[in-house]
């Protein structure tokens, strides 16, 4: 075993088409023989493998495996790429990716050697001299192993100095396994920790020609570079304890405040739920506190002297409700209702006709490159056709417009314009953005900004429906599911309009339930005008409808309607009775005819 201390080794293996299958098997054996001679582990030698041809493929990185068995299993599963020989590209990948700390290489200040072992059988199809120089200057020691047809000049251009110790040419693939035994000696030098008195209190780490000391977890290395002192594990603030951190020698533990217990993660705390014991006897709600619990009543109820039971009052008789038509008491609250044919307004009290329904509407239009300028003008005309259907005013319907491509831009918020003419003029002045299709980003912008009170959306307490209309002509380049769900969960009624290459699955994900009533599609921009009929938003929105008052059966109009319905039913029954009479007469005549036939036969 190689005991010289930890190394970071990356094999860079040529799997071009010139390497025949049985020859590639000998390269596998070469790598496994070298790995078998190493002391591998997270704190010992780390190994990574990449293969290359016309492209580079990472087999496993320095942080992936720490046992020889796992490494050998991964090496045996390699499928050769069998293309060109881009050795310079492979060296670039090793320098920029494989030997980064993100991929498992130890930091340079640790002074752990970084070694690249390049094994190739041919002449590179790209330049290697410059990139190899950059890699060596970055602290990577390069061994260049050529087999059979390899170009010696290229090997010398890649390898680290002195070349006689870093350049090797093996006559055939059959000899590479024998060469591997000799190559192991190059990696395995003298274990300086074993050969001299190192004086390390905890651990000695060998490096080529030297060593350094390390301390056990929970300790730090003193200025003498050899002895170790315990650290306050709580002091650096990285302990993760939610409440209290208790430092111990070289370690720590977490503790919770009174009224809480420590969770299984040994860091976070959960309040003790005294209500879960089942003995609180609260009529409505039990509220747990650190040292016990108390009872609480729902809104509109009052806690009684026994501190457990609750009593409600008829709020319609006890408060100035302000309902224009009728107040209806509910448990702990009340609501206003309107007569049939009228709609409850945003103040929750006044009634008006259905046509005066108010909404906050934000239209989100696709301005990506695939729409094209002439079609974007048709989109703006489509938007204005919808505006023509609305009763726009500061206290009526408000309209906002958002355009998106690779980024999102608010063309105007809900509180910018107060008439349909102003909005239509602003729409026609909108400039086409072009570029990508980030529909998910646009939905996020709509939820977080467009329907904020800062941009003109009325408070949720006013019960003004919030409607989002998303117009797109293609597949989104980001995920839409999360923000489509959040939009609907936040109370926004979502409509989806697709044209051309729009994806039905994405449109359905955006649309509110029932989906069939909230998404539309048109094959191209010139035929999409019929979609306007699906968005007659001046019709009473579902969320804004007032509750209907039941008519008295004694009212004149109700009596007339009842009489009309009754006459129609009687007429229908009479027509059915006539039909049955005709059928009965026909059947009787038929039976009499059959009886006569039977009598004649006798």
């Amino acid at each position: 075993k190689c005991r010289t201390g930890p190394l970071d080794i990356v094999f860079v293996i040529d799997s071009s088409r010139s390497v025949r299958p049985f020859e590639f098997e000998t390269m596998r054996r070469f790598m496994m023989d070298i790995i078998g001679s190493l002391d591998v582990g997270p704190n010992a030698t780390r190994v990574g493998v990449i293969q290359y041809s016309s492209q580079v493929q990472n087999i496993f990185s320095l942080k992936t495996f720490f046992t020889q068995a796992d490494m050998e299993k991964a090496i045996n599963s390699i499928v050769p790429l069998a293309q060109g020989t881009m050795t310079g590209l492979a060296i670039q990948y090793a320098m920029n990716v494989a030997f980064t700390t993100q991929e498992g290489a130890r930091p340079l200040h640790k002074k752990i050697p970084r070694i690249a072992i390049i094994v190739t059988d041919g002449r590179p199809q790209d330049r290697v001299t410059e990139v190899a120089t950059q890699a060596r200057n970055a602290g990577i020691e390069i061994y260049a192993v050529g087999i059979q047809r390899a170009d010696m000049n290229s090997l010398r251009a890649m390898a680290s100095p002195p070349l006689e110790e870093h350049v090797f040419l093996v006559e055939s693939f059959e000899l590479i396994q024998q060469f591997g035994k000799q190559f192991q000696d190059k990696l395995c030098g003298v274990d300086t920790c074993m050969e001299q008195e190192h004086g390390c209190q905890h651990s000695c780490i060998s490096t080529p020609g030297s060593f350094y000391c390390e301390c056990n977890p929970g300790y730090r290395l003193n200025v003498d570079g050899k002895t170790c002192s315990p650290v306050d594990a709580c002091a650096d603030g990285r302990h993760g304890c939610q409440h209290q951190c208790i430092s111990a020698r070289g370690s720590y533990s977490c503790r919770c405040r009174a009224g809480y217990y420590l969770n299984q993660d040994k860091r976070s705390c959960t309040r003790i739920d005294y209500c879960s014991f089942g003995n609180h006897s609260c009529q409505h709600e039990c509220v747990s506190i650190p040292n016990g619990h108390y009872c609480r009543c729902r809104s509109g109820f009052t806690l009684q002297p026994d501190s457990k039971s609750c009593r409600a009052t008829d709020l319609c008789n006890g408060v100035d409700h302000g309902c224009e038509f009728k107040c209806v008491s509910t448990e702990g609250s009340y609501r206003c209702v309107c007569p049939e044919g009228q709609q409850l307004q945003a103040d929750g009290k006044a009634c008006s006709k259905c046509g005066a329904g108010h909404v906050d509407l934000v239209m989100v239009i696709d301005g990506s490159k695939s729409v094209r300028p002439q079609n974007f003008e048709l989109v703006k005309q489509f938007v204005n056709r919808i505006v023509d259907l609305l009763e726009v005013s500061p206290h009526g319907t408000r309209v906002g417009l958002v355009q998106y491509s690779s980024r999102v831009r608010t063309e105007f918020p809900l509180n910018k314009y107060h008439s349909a003419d102003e909005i239509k003029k602003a729409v026609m002045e909108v400039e086409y953005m072009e570029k990508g299709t980030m529909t998910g980003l646009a939905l996020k912008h709509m939820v977080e900004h467009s329907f904020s009170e800062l941009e003109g959306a009325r408070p949720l307490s006013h019960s003004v429906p919030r409607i989002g209309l998303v117009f797109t002509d293609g597949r989104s380049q980001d995920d839409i599911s999360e923000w489509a769900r959040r939009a609907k969960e936040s109370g926004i009624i979502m409509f989806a309009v697709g044209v051309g290459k729009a994806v039905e699955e994405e449109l359905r994900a955006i649309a509110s339930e029932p989906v069939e009533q909230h998404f539309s599609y048109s094959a191209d921009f010139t035929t999409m005008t019929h979609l306007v009929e699906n968005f007659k938003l001046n019709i009473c929105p579902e969320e804004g409808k007032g509750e209907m008052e039941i008519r008295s059966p004694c009212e004149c109009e109700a009596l007339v309607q009842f009489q009309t319905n009754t006459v129609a039913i009687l007429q229908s029954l009479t027509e059915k009775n006539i039909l049955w009479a005709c059928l009965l007469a026909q059947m009787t005549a038929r039976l009499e005819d059959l009886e006569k036939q039977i009598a004649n036969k006798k």
Side-chain angles (χ1 to χ4, degrees), residues 36 118 271 352 463 467 469 473 505 550:
I118 303 173
R271 178 182 289 179
S352 68
S463 301
I467 297 179
L469 193 159
D473 84 317
E505 179 182 358
I550 300 174

Side-chain angles (χ1 to χ4, degrees), residues 64 155 181 225 284 457 474 478 489 554 587:
T64 307
L155 297 176
K181 295 182 173 60
H284 282 185
D478 60 349
E489 288 177 352
C554 297
M587 292 179 66

Side-chain angles (χ1 to χ4, degrees), residues 37-67:
S37 70
L38 302 173
D39 181 21
V40 297
N43 296 318
T45 293
R46 299 183 182 182
V47 179
V49 175
I50 61 177
Q51 68 164 332
Y52 73 94
S53 58
S54 297
Q55 58 187 354
V56 181
Q57 181 186 31
N58 181 50
I59 305 302
F60 58 86
S61 62
L62 293 167
K63 66 180 181 180
T64 307
F65 301 124
F66 297 114
T67 67

Side-chain angles (χ1 to χ4, degrees), residues 401-600:
L401 183 65
V402 173
Q403 184 185 175
Y404 74 98
S405 58
S406 297
R407 56 190 178 89
V408 184
R409 182 173 71 204
T410 297
E411 300 296 350
F412 51 85
L414 288 165
N415 56 5
K416 181 70 177 291
Y417 300 113
H418 306 307
S419 70
D421 289 339
E422 289 178 308
I423 292 174
K424 291 167 65 177
K425 182 176 183 294
V427 169
M428 297 311 296
E429 293 174 353
V430 170
E431 295 182 0
Y432 180 35
M433 294 176 70
E434 295 190 38
K435 297 191 178 178
T437 309
M438 303 294 283
T439 311
L441 183 65
L443 289 170
K444 181 177 185 292
H445 180 90
M446 180 194 72
V447 173
E448 293 184 341
H449 301 287
S450 301
F451 281 108
S452 66
E453 294 182 27
L454 183 65
E455 293 198 5
R458 267 106 19 135
L460 292 172
S461 60
H462 289 187
S463 301
V464 176
R466 296 181 173 183
I467 297 179
L469 193 159
V470 178
F471 183 99
T472 181
D473 84 317
R475 181 183 297 275
S476 176
Q477 294 173 340
D478 60 349
D479 179 60
I480 66 164
S481 57
E482 178 183 0
W483 285 103
R485 173 181 57 80
R486 288 198 188 186
K488 288 176 278 191
E489 288 177 352
S490 67
I492 302 173
I493 305 168
M494 294 299 300
F495 287 84
V497 179
V499 177
K501 295 182 180 180
V503 181
E504 181 177 347
E505 179 182 358
E506 293 186 354
L507 297 176
R508 288 180 172 271
I510 294 171
S512 293
E513 296 288 343
V515 173
E516 300 300 331
Q517 297 179 15
H518 290 81
F519 94 97
S520 303
Y521 174 80
S522 180
D524 61 85
F525 290 84
T526 59
T527 61
M528 68 182 181
T529 54
H530 70 280
L531 300 179
V532 176
E533 293 300 317
N534 295 339
F535 301 98
K536 287 187 175 180
L537 300 177
N538 59 330
I539 299 174
C540 294
E542 189 67 27
E543 285 72 16
K545 285 186 177 178
E547 190 170 308
M548 303 306 174
E549 180 72 0
I550 300 174
R551 290 182 178 180
S552 169
C554 297
E555 291 180 359
C556 180
E557 290 181 2
L559 288 172
V560 172
Q561 184 65 45
F562 175 78
Q563 184 180 15
T564 302
N565 293 342
T566 302
V567 170
I569 293 171
L570 289 173
Q571 183 176 355
S572 176
L573 290 173
T574 301
E575 291 174 355
K576 290 180 179 178
N577 288 336
I578 293 172
L579 177 62
W580 280 110
C582 291
L583 290 173
L584 182 60
Q586 291 176 4
M587 292 179 66
T588 302
R590 179 63 178 162
L591 288 171
E592 290 176 352
D593 184 54
L594 289 172
E595 289 176 355
K596 289 178 182 180
Q597 292 179 14
I598 293 171
N600 290 336

